[in-house]
């Protein structure tokens, strides 16, 4: 097991807090846990929660008996005024989600902010390229539309940044086959709106801060343009139509379960 220390957490922009007790207080072994949410995306606020995501490994008996297994587990606490939540899926469910063009689990798996890892996590990460398809564009397109509607309703900066982040992540994935969820890094894409660094800086002051209402017409035009770019990137993508890694994921889940 590897748990990041306080210095690593500060470098990533997370508040100083000991995550080890939260990770240790799990009824089944963790396969991995990583930081997701605004800290992963590169635009946390001073009052952002810490979102931990990952996978756990149920014992074989839990899947063979009469009771329905607890395939998804959520744990939350508050330490030193910092809200933390850990959401994990059983490894089998996590693998199935990977095969369903689910960008969320891909970002969780490939997050560089690792707080718990091990050999199964390393092997699972190595298999990630085998689940990528051009149809992951649908995930990012749909996520962006959901966040845009939230921005229209609330006028907050957060959903506007999420909209841009989703579209740029999708564009980058279609072109390179690489998951990149960090918005400051994605700002280097030629299509990224020039105002994004300023918006990221503005959101740092408050998790639910309001965007300048005068920004909306420009933001709407920029978002429409990014949707067009994503459509074009999907059409030109070298990614396959279907995942190639199903058999390898099946083998990993079986081996991990039997060993666990």
């Amino acid at each position: 097991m590897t748990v990041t220390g306080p210095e690593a957490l500060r470098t990533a922009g997370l508040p100083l807090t000991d995550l080890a007790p939260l990770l240790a207080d799990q009824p089944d072994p963790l396969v991995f846990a990583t930081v997701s949410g605004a800290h992963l995306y590169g635009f946390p606020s001073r009052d952002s929660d810490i979102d931990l995501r990952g996978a756990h490994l149920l014992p074989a008996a839990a899947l063979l008996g009469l009771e329905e297994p607890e395939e998804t587990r959520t744990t939350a606490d508050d330490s030193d005024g910092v809200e933390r939540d850990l959401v994990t899926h059983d490894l089998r469910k996590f693998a199935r989600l990977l095969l369903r063009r689910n960008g969320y689990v891909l970002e969780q798996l490939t997050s560089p902010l690792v707080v718990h890892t091990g050999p199964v996590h390393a092997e699972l990460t190595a298999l990630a390229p085998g689940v990528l398809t051009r149809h992951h564009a649908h995930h990012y397109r749909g996520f962006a539309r959901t966040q845009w509607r939230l921005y229209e309703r609330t006028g907050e900066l957060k959903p506007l940044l999420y909209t841009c982040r989703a579209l740029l992540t999708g564009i980058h994935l279609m072109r390179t086959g690489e998951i990149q969820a960090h918005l400051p890094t994605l700002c280097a894409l030629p299509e990224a709106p020039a105002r994004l660094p300023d918006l990221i800086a503005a959101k740092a002051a408050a998790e639910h801060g309001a965007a300048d209402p005068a920004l909306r017409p420009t933001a709407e035009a920029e978002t429409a343009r990014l949707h067009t770019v994503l459509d074009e990137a999907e059409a030109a993508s070298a990614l396959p139509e279907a995942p190639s890694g199903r058999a390898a994921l099946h083998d990993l889940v079986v081996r991990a379960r039997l060993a666990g």
Side-chain angles (χ1 to χ4, degrees):
M1 180 182 79
T2 300
V3 178
T4 57
E7 186 61 34
L9 294 179
R10 285 195 294 270
T11 301
L14 280 84
L16 181 59
T17 179
D18 184 9
L19 297 172
L22 177 64
L23 299 176
D25 190 27
Q26 301 300 310
D28 296 304
L30 283 176
V31 174
F32 78 92
T34 59
V35 177
S36 186
H39 291 97
L40 172 62
Y41 303 149
F43 47 84
S45 306
R46 291 195 298 264
D47 52 348
S48 290
D49 300 343
I50 298 179
D51 299 317
L52 302 175
R53 300 292 183 266
H56 61 268
L57 189 64
L58 289 170
L63 301 174
L64 296 174
L66 297 179
E67 302 300 324
E68 289 295 322
E70 188 179 22
E71 290 192 290
T72 299
R73 181 174 293 126
T74 300
T75 308
D77 69 2
D78 188 309
S79 177
D80 303 317
V82 179
E83 294 183 22
R84 301 104 56 90
D85 67 274
L86 171 64
V87 181
T88 62
H89 304 296
D90 174 63
L91 182 61
R92 180 179 67 173
K93 180 175 181 179
F94 194 91
R96 286 173 170 170
L97 290 171
L98 283 173
L99 292 167
R100 295 176 187 167
R101 68 190 188 203
N102 188 310
Y104 299 122
V105 292
L106 269 170
E107 291 166 6
Q108 294 159 18
L109 177 61
T110 59
S111 170
L113 305 179
V114 180
V115 298
H116 180 100
T117 189
V120 177
H121 178 215
E123 189 170 350
L124 192 62
T125 302
L127 295 176
V131 305
L132 296 175
T133 73
R134 68 173 62 229
H135 298 295
H136 280 83
H138 301 319
H139 165 86
Y140 289 105
R141 189 180 292 114
F143 182 40
R145 286 173 176 157
T146 298
Q147 290 299 312
W148 178 260
R149 288 194 292 269
L150 184 59
Y151 164 65
E152 288 185 314
R153 188 167 71 250
T154 66
E156 291 183 358
L157 265 176
K158 181 178 178 178
L160 178 57
L161 288 173
Y162 268 68
T163 299
C164 293
R165 199 285 300 178
L167 291 168
L168 291 171
T169 295
I171 291 166
H172 183 75
L173 174 60
M174 291 300 104
R175 289 174 175 170
T176 68
E178 175 192 41
I179 294 289
Q180 177 55 260
H182 189 251
L183 185 57
T185 300
L186 292 165
C187 285
L189 293 181
E191 297 85 4
R195 72 187 71 246
L196 278 179
D198 292 336
L199 298 182
I200 292 170
K203 184 191 173 286
E207 180 73 1
H208 298 287
D212 182 350
L215 185 68
R216 182 167 298 192
T218 301
E220 187 168 9
E222 290 171 341
T223 299
R225 180 172 58 85
L226 289 177
H227 272 286
T228 299
V229 174
L230 177 56
D231 292 344
E232 294 170 348
E234 179 188 4
S237 179
L239 289 173
E241 290 288 328
S244 61
R246 184 180 184 89
L249 280 172
H250 170 81
D251 178 67
L252 174 59
V253 171
V254 171
R255 285 188 287 108
R257 186 85 67 204
L258 294 178

Coordinates of all heavy atoms in Angstrom, one line a residue, residues 6-43:
P6 N 1.6 14.2 3.7 CA 1.1 15.6 3.7 C 1.7 16.5 2.6 O 1.0 17.3 2.0 CB 1.4 16.1 5.1 CG 1.5 14.8 5.9 CD 2.1 13.8 5.0
E7 N 3.0 16.3 2.4 CA 3.7 17.2 1.4 C 3.1 16.9 0.0 O 2.9 17.9 -0.8 CB 5.2 16.9 1.4 CG 6.0 17.9 0.5 CD 5.8 19.3 1.0 OE1 5.7 19.6 2.2 OE2 5.8 20.2 0.1
A8 N 2.9 15.7 -0.4 CA 2.4 15.3 -1.7 C 1.0 15.9 -1.8 O 0.6 16.4 -2.9 CB 2.4 13.8 -1.9
L9 N 0.2 15.8 -0.8 CA -1.2 16.4 -0.8 C -1.2 17.9 -1.0 O -2.0 18.4 -1.8 CB -2.0 16.0 0.4 CG -2.2 14.5 0.7 CD1 -3.0 14.3 2.0 CD2 -3.0 13.9 -0.5
R10 N -0.3 18.6 -0.3 CA -0.2 20.0 -0.5 C 0.2 20.4 -1.9 O -0.3 21.3 -2.5 CB 0.8 20.6 0.5 CG 0.3 20.7 1.9 CD 1.1 21.6 2.8 NE 2.5 21.0 3.0 CZ 2.8 20.2 4.0 NH1 1.9 19.8 4.9 NH2 4.0 19.7 4.1
T11 N 1.2 19.6 -2.5 CA 1.6 19.9 -3.8 C 0.5 19.7 -4.8 O 0.4 20.5 -5.8 CB 2.8 18.9 -4.2 OG1 3.8 19.1 -3.3 CG2 3.3 19.2 -5.6
A12 N -0.4 18.8 -4.6 CA -1.6 18.6 -5.4 C -2.7 19.6 -5.2 O -3.7 19.6 -5.9 CB -2.1 17.2 -5.3
G13 N -2.5 20.5 -4.2 CA -3.5 21.5 -3.9 C -4.6 21.0 -2.9 O -5.5 21.8 -2.7
L14 N -4.4 19.9 -2.3 CA -5.3 19.4 -1.3 C -5.0 20.0 0.1 O -3.9 20.2 0.4 CB -5.3 17.9 -1.2 CG -6.1 17.1 -2.3 CD1 -5.2 17.0 -3.6 CD2 -6.5 15.8 -1.8
P15 N -6.0 20.2 0.9 CA -5.8 20.6 2.3 C -5.0 19.6 3.1 O -5.1 18.4 2.8 CB -7.2 20.9 2.8 CG -8.1 20.0 2.0 CD -7.5 20.0 0.6
L16 N -4.3 20.0 4.1 CA -3.6 19.1 4.9 C -4.5 18.2 5.8 O -5.2 18.8 6.6 CB -2.6 19.9 5.9 CG -1.7 19.1 6.8 CD1 -0.9 18.1 6.0 CD2 -0.9 20.0 7.7
T17 N -4.6 17.0 5.5 CA -5.5 16.1 6.2 C -4.9 14.6 6.1 O -4.4 14.3 5.1 CB -6.9 16.1 5.7 OG1 -7.7 15.2 6.4 CG2 -7.0 15.8 4.2
D18 N -5.1 13.8 7.1 CA -4.6 12.5 7.1 C -5.7 11.5 6.6 O -6.7 11.3 7.2 CB -4.2 12.0 8.5 CG -3.6 10.7 8.6 OD1 -3.3 10.1 7.5 OD2 -3.4 10.1 9.7
L19 N -5.4 11.0 5.4 CA -6.4 10.1 4.7 C -6.3 8.7 5.2 O -7.2 7.9 4.9 CB -6.2 10.2 3.2 CG -6.5 11.6 2.6 CD1 -6.1 11.5 1.1 CD2 -7.9 12.0 2.7
A20 N -5.2 8.3 5.9 CA -5.0 6.9 6.2 C -6.1 6.3 7.0 O -6.6 5.2 6.7 CB -3.7 6.7 6.9
P21 N -6.7 7.0 8.0 CA -7.8 6.4 8.8 C -9.0 6.1 7.9 O -9.7 5.0 8.1 CB -8.1 7.4 9.9 CG -6.8 8.1 10.1 CD -6.2 8.2 8.7
L22 N -9.4 7.0 7.0 CA -10.5 6.8 6.2 C -10.3 5.6 5.3 O -11.2 4.7 5.1 CB -10.8 8.0 5.3 CG -11.9 7.9 4.3 CD1 -13.2 7.8 5.0 CD2 -11.9 9.2 3.4
L23 N -9.1 5.4 4.7 CA -8.8 4.3 3.8 C -8.7 3.0 4.6 O -9.2 1.9 4.1 CB -7.4 4.5 3.1 CG -7.4 5.8 2.2 CD1 -5.9 5.9 1.7 CD2 -8.4 5.7 1.1
A24 N -8.3 3.0 5.8 CA -8.1 1.8 6.6 C -9.5 1.3 7.1 O -9.6 0.1 7.4 CB -7.2 2.1 7.8
D25 N -10.4 2.2 7.2 CA -11.7 1.8 7.8 C -12.7 1.3 6.7 O -13.8 1.7 6.6 CB -12.4 3.1 8.5 CG -13.6 2.7 9.3 OD1 -13.7 1.6 9.8 OD2 -14.5 3.6 9.5
Q26 N -12.2 0.3 6.0 CA -13.0 -0.3 4.9 C -13.1 -1.8 5.2 O -12.2 -2.5 5.6 CB -12.3 -0.1 3.6 CG -12.1 1.3 3.2 CD -13.4 2.1 3.1 OE1 -14.4 1.7 2.5 NE2 -13.5 3.2 3.8
P27 N -14.3 -2.4 5.0 CA -14.5 -3.8 5.4 C -13.9 -4.8 4.4 O -13.7 -5.9 4.8 CB -16.1 -3.9 5.3 CG -16.5 -2.8 4.4 CD -15.5 -1.7 4.6
D28 N -13.5 -4.3 3.2 CA -12.9 -5.2 2.3 C -11.6 -4.5 1.7 O -11.5 -3.3 1.7 CB -13.8 -5.6 1.1 CG -15.1 -6.3 1.6 OD1 -14.9 -7.4 2.2 OD2 -16.2 -5.9 1.4
P29 N -10.7 -5.3 1.2 CA -9.4 -4.7 0.7 C -9.7 -3.8 -0.4 O -10.5 -4.0 -1.3 CB -8.6 -6.0 0.2 CG -9.2 -7.1 0.9 CD -10.7 -6.8 1.1
L30 N -8.9 -2.6 -0.4 CA -9.0 -1.7 -1.4 C -8.0 -2.1 -2.5 O -6.9 -2.5 -2.3 CB -8.5 -0.3 -0.9 CG -9.6 0.5 -0.2 CD1 -8.9 1.8 0.3 CD2 -10.8 0.9 -1.0
V31 N -8.5 -2.0 -3.8 CA -7.6 -2.3 -4.9 C -6.8 -1.0 -5.2 O -5.6 -1.0 -5.4 CB -8.4 -2.7 -6.2 CG1 -7.5 -2.8 -7.4 CG2 -9.1 -4.0 -5.9
F32 N -7.5 0.1 -5.2 CA -6.8 1.4 -5.3 C -7.8 2.5 -4.9 O -9.0 2.3 -4.8 CB -6.4 1.7 -6.8 CG -7.5 2.1 -7.7 CD1 -7.7 3.4 -7.9 CD2 -8.2 1.2 -8.4 CE1 -8.7 3.8 -8.8 CE2 -9.2 1.5 -9.2 CZ -9.5 2.9 -9.4
A33 N -7.2 3.7 -4.6 CA -8.0 4.9 -4.3 C -7.2 6.0 -4.9 O -6.0 6.1 -4.6 CB -8.3 5.1 -2.9
T34 N -7.9 6.9 -5.6 CA -7.2 8.1 -6.1 C -8.1 9.3 -5.9 O -9.3 9.2 -5.5 CB -7.0 8.0 -7.7 OG1 -8.3 7.8 -8.3 CG2 -6.1 6.8 -8.0
V35 N -7.5 10.5 -6.0 CA -8.2 11.8 -5.9 C -8.9 12.1 -7.2 O -8.2 12.0 -8.3 CB -7.3 12.9 -5.5 CG1 -8.0 14.2 -5.4 CG2 -6.6 12.6 -4.1
S36 N -10.1 12.4 -7.1 CA -10.9 12.8 -8.3 C -11.4 14.2 -8.1 O -11.0 15.0 -7.2 CB -12.0 11.8 -8.6 OG -12.7 12.1 -9.8
G37 N -12.4 14.6 -8.9 CA -13.1 15.9 -8.7 C -12.2 17.1 -9.0 O -11.3 17.0 -9.8
A38 N -12.5 18.2 -8.4 CA -11.9 19.5 -8.7 C -10.4 19.5 -8.5 O -9.6 20.1 -9.3 CB -12.5 20.6 -7.9
H39 N -9.9 18.7 -7.6 CA -8.4 18.6 -7.4 C -7.8 17.9 -8.5 O -6.7 18.3 -9.0 CB -8.1 17.9 -6.1 CG -8.5 18.7 -4.8 ND1 -9.7 18.5 -4.2 CD2 -7.9 19.7 -4.2 CE1 -9.7 19.3 -3.1 NE2 -8.7 20.1 -3.1
L40 N -8.4 16.9 -9.0 CA -7.9 16.2 -10.2 C -8.0 17.1 -11.5 O -7.1 17.2 -12.3 CB -8.6 14.9 -10.5 CG -8.3 14.2 -11.8 CD1 -6.8 13.8 -11.9 CD2 -9.2 13.0 -12.0
Y41 N -9.1 17.8 -11.5 CA -9.3 18.7 -12.7 C -8.5 20.0 -12.7 O -8.5 20.7 -13.7 CB -10.8 19.0 -12.8 CG -11.7 17.8 -12.9 CD1 -13.0 17.8 -12.3 CD2 -11.3 16.6 -13.4 CE1 -13.8 16.7 -12.4 CE2 -12.1 15.5 -13.4 CZ -13.3 15.5 -12.9 OH -14.1 14.4 -12.9
G42 N -7.9 20.3 -11.6 CA -7.0 21.4 -11.6 C -7.6 22.8 -11.3 O -7.0 23.8 -11.5
F43 N -8.9 22.7 -10.7 CA -9.5 24.0 -10.3 C -10.2 23.9 -9.0 O -11.4 24.2 -8.8 CB -10.4 24.6 -11.4 CG -11.4 23.6 -12.0 CD1 -12.6 23.3 -11.3 CD2 -11.1 23.0 -13.2 CE1 -13.5 22.4 -11.9 CE2 -12.0 22.1 -13.7 CZ -13.3 21.8 -13.1

